[in-house]
Amino acid sequence: MGTSIFTSCSFSWRNHHHIIPSHRFLSHSSPDKGLSVAKAAVDTRQNGCVEFVDEETEKFSGFLKRRSAIVSGVSLISSAVLGFPREGLAVVKQGLLAGRVPGLSEPDEQGWRTYRRPDEKSGGHGVGWSPIIPYIFSVPSGWEEVPVSIADLGGTEIDLRFANSKEGRLFVIVAPVLRFADNLGDDAKVEKIGPPEKVIAAFGPEVIGENVEGKVLSMGVVEHSGRTYYQFELEPPHVLITATAAGNRLYLFSVTASGLQWKRHYKDLKKIADSFRVV
């Protein structure tokens, strides 16, 4: 036994000289007679239409309605969880990466974008910690923010990570100066902490996870807008570190890469490291 369904057709059907407009006409086919007949009829008496529905078709129609409701529910869940439409994905990403707020500018003529830590971004507001002063840096096209793992180096405050799978990666450590000295006040300067040698010996292990003795290739001191920055290049591993202090925090900006990435993209990696500023 089969069931044929015709909906919203534009033909009419004559039966005993009465014209019945076809409105969602449902018929039941009977294999043994080779005919299509209606076993039961329901007079809707709307717009002069009669709708014929057999028992089996009525059950099938109910199944379709239930199935439609289920599919609609799944679609809503898919929109929110799987990202259709795009807004759903944005909500899930923000939920999974709590505290991460986009801060990238549009690319300039060379394709470089500037990241500024958003004022609204959470993190690092424990006892004895001043609010994190925003910082900025620039990255070429293809670098994107990535989640900060709770498995990062112990005893450090990884505030941000960026990476490009073909060029390298970077991260920002924001550590309390109280870990190094308790008499620097709430407006610490990196030069008050000590000379570059002292700073890299104390905080370098926070970056590379091991003692930096014998690994420092170069050190430098630069000043921007009245703030002093220490710059270091270490090898191995290949890493560029920019250090400064603001409030009662030490900021360590690290740019690192594999040997091949270092060889191919050193110029851009150095430009990224040099662009770091606390504003």
Side-chain angles (χ1 to χ4, degrees):
M1 181 178 294
T3 301
S4 302
I5 303 174
F6 304 89
T7 63
S8 302
C9 298
S10 60
F11 62 84
S12 61
W13 180 48
R14 293 181 180 273
N15 182 28
H16 299 296
H17 306 291
H18 293 287
I19 298 176
I20 304 174
S22 58
H23 174 66
R24 296 188 179 177
F25 181 80
L26 306 175
S27 68
H28 171 75
S29 56
S30 175
D32 56 327
K33 294 183 180 180
L35 300 173
S36 180
V37 297
K39 291 172 65 178
V42 179
D43 187 357
T44 63
R45 302 207 182 274
Q46 292 181 346
N47 301 322
C49 297
V50 177
E51 184 172 343
F52 290 87
V53 183
D54 66 25
E55 295 173 356
E56 241 184 344
T57 301
E58 191 171 358
K59 292 178 181 178
F60 183 71
S61 178
F63 167 76
L64 286 178
K65 291 178 181 178
R66 291 192 299 273
R67 185 176 183 273
S68 176
I70 293 172
V71 171
S72 297
V74 172
S75 298
L76 289 173
I77 294 172
S78 298
S79 296
V81 177
L82 299 181
F84 306 101
R86 185 177 298 273
E87 287 79 5
L89 181 60
V91 171
V92 173
K93 285 183 69 177
Q94 186 62 27
L96 292 175
L97 307 175
R100 293 180 62 240
V101 181
L104 276 174
S105 69
E106 292 298 318
D108 62 17
E109 294 179 355
Q110 288 75 41
W112 284 65
R113 297 184 294 172
T114 298
Y115 175 88
R116 182 188 189 280
R117 188 187 193 277
D119 296 329
E120 300 83 4
K121 183 176 178 179
S122 62
H125 296 287
V127 176
W129 289 58
S130 62
I132 295 178
I133 299 173
Y135 51 79
I136 62 172
F137 59 87
S138 297
V139 290
S141 177
W143 284 69
E144 300 290 345
E145 187 180 358
V146 296
V148 174
S149 171
I150 60 174
D152 280 318
L153 297 177
T156 65
E157 172 78 10
I158 305 292
D159 189 63
L160 181 77
R161 281 190 181 278
F162 263 69
N164 180 302
S165 60
K166 296 181 180 180
E167 298 179 19
R169 59 193 184 277
L170 67 83
F171 58 90
V172 182
I173 293 176
V174 184
V177 294
L178 291 174
R179 186 182 302 168
F180 190 81
D182 58 5
N183 59 348
L184 297 175
D186 291 328
D187 188 22
K189 306 294 183 183
V190 69
E191 54 268 36
K192 291 182 178 179
I193 296 176
E197 298 85 353
K198 186 176 182 180
V199 170
I200 192 63
F203 290 99
E206 303 255 0
V207 177
I208 67 172
E210 58 184 283
N211 196 299
V212 299
E213 186 177 356
K215 299 180 182 296
V216 182
L217 297 181
S218 66
M219 291 182 285
V221 181
V222 296
E223 185 177 306
H224 298 285
S225 301
R227 192 180 304 280
T228 301
Y229 296 80
Y230 293 163
Q231 297 179 328
F232 308 93
E233 182 172 336
L234 280 66
E235 188 182 75
H238 298 285
V239 59
L240 296 164
I241 300 173
T242 301
T244 193
N248 59 5
R249 300 170 184 270
L250 181 75
Y251 292 74
L252 296 169
F253 183 71
S254 170
V255 181
T256 185
S258 67
L260 184 59
Q261 291 171 335
W262 194 259
K263 182 178 180 180
R264 290 180 175 178
H265 304 287
Y266 176 82
K267 184 177 179 180
D268 281 351
L269 297 172
K270 185 70 168 62
K271 183 176 177 180
I272 294 171
D274 291 345
S275 71
F276 182 73
R277 305 281 190 276
V278 174
V279 297

